[in-house]
Amino acid sequence: MPYRRLSRFVTAATTVSTASTVTAALATLGVLALTAPVAASAPVSPVSPASLAAPAAPADLSIGSSPRTAPLPRPSRSSDHLTITVSDSGKAATNGTYELYCHPARGTHTDARGACDKLDSLSRWGKDLFAGVPKGSKCTMQYGGPATAHVTGTWAGRPVNAQFSRADGCEISRWNRFVPVLPSVAS
């Protein structure tokens, strides 16, 4: 039981970032290790955290990091950016090119938050969200109109270059799955 307090000092010593402070901390640990059996029988006096504090580290380094390297940046999804070009939708207001940024939602898209939420809900690990209709699919011979869309950019760290149309039942379903990223178009 007397060694229980020793583990706290080991943890404190391993988070020190400068060599001189590590040497001083190790010397303190050596003294503590030698006196631990004696200290177990003596009354315990509290150790002030200030007495164990290391010199202040530079503001650009985190505790425990090497003084020669900065901490790695956190990966973010702020690179989720799509350019969506819609034509022949039947509505002049929905034709055009829109920029969509997600995480946080912004851009020139008319419903950026709704579009980003839709893309997030459709995203699955290991699946290409923007994959076209598989070859050999059996689709209804239904024509949904001349609307087309081209989506380029980056989503979830992967490049996107996808074409959308409403040429048959499968393509119409694929288009409708992406509303509000793509505009709602009546057949």
Side-chain angles (χ1 to χ4, degrees):
M1 212 39 111
Y3 298 105
R4 185 173 182 191
R5 293 181 61 86
L6 186 60
S7 65
R8 182 171 48 157
F9 296 115
V10 172
T11 304
T14 58
T15 60
V16 176
S17 63
T18 61
S20 63
T21 311
V22 169
T23 305
L26 290 175
T28 304
L29 284 175
V31 169
L32 288 173
L34 293 175
T35 60
V38 176
S41 62
V44 178
S45 62
V47 177
S48 162
S51 66
L52 297 174
D60 63 335
L61 294 178
S62 64
I63 293 182
S65 67
S66 169
R68 293 187 187 117
T69 61
L72 293 174
R74 283 188 169 176
S76 72
R77 297 217 20 218
S78 63
S79 63
D80 290 340
H81 168 243
L82 299 174
T83 302
I84 303 158
T85 304
V86 179
S87 57
D88 299 323
S89 68
K91 298 177 190 173
T94 58
N95 289 337
T97 300
Y98 306 96
E99 298 294 325
L100 176 64
Y101 294 88
C102 295
H103 311 105
R106 62 195 187 286
T108 59
H109 193 281
T110 56
D111 184 10
R113 180 176 301 280
C116 291
D117 289 346
K118 183 63 167 187
L119 290 168
D120 282 337
S121 73
L122 293 173
S123 296
R124 299 288 179 263
W125 181 257
K127 301 285 183 185
D128 183 4
L129 171 65
F130 295 94
V133 175
K135 292 186 190 278
S137 296
K138 300 206 185 297
C139 304
T140 60
M141 298 305 292
Q142 176 183 2
Y143 181 65
T148 60
H150 186 207
V151 180
T152 59
T154 304
W155 182 259
R158 292 183 170 182
V160 175
N161 187 6
Q163 296 285 350
F164 291 84
S165 73
R166 298 179 60 83
D168 60 32
C170 294
E171 292 292 345
I172 292 170
S173 293
R174 181 172 173 243
W175 182 293
N176 290 342
R177 192 171 57 246
F178 280 88
V179 172
V181 177
L182 300 177
S184 179
V185 177
S187 297

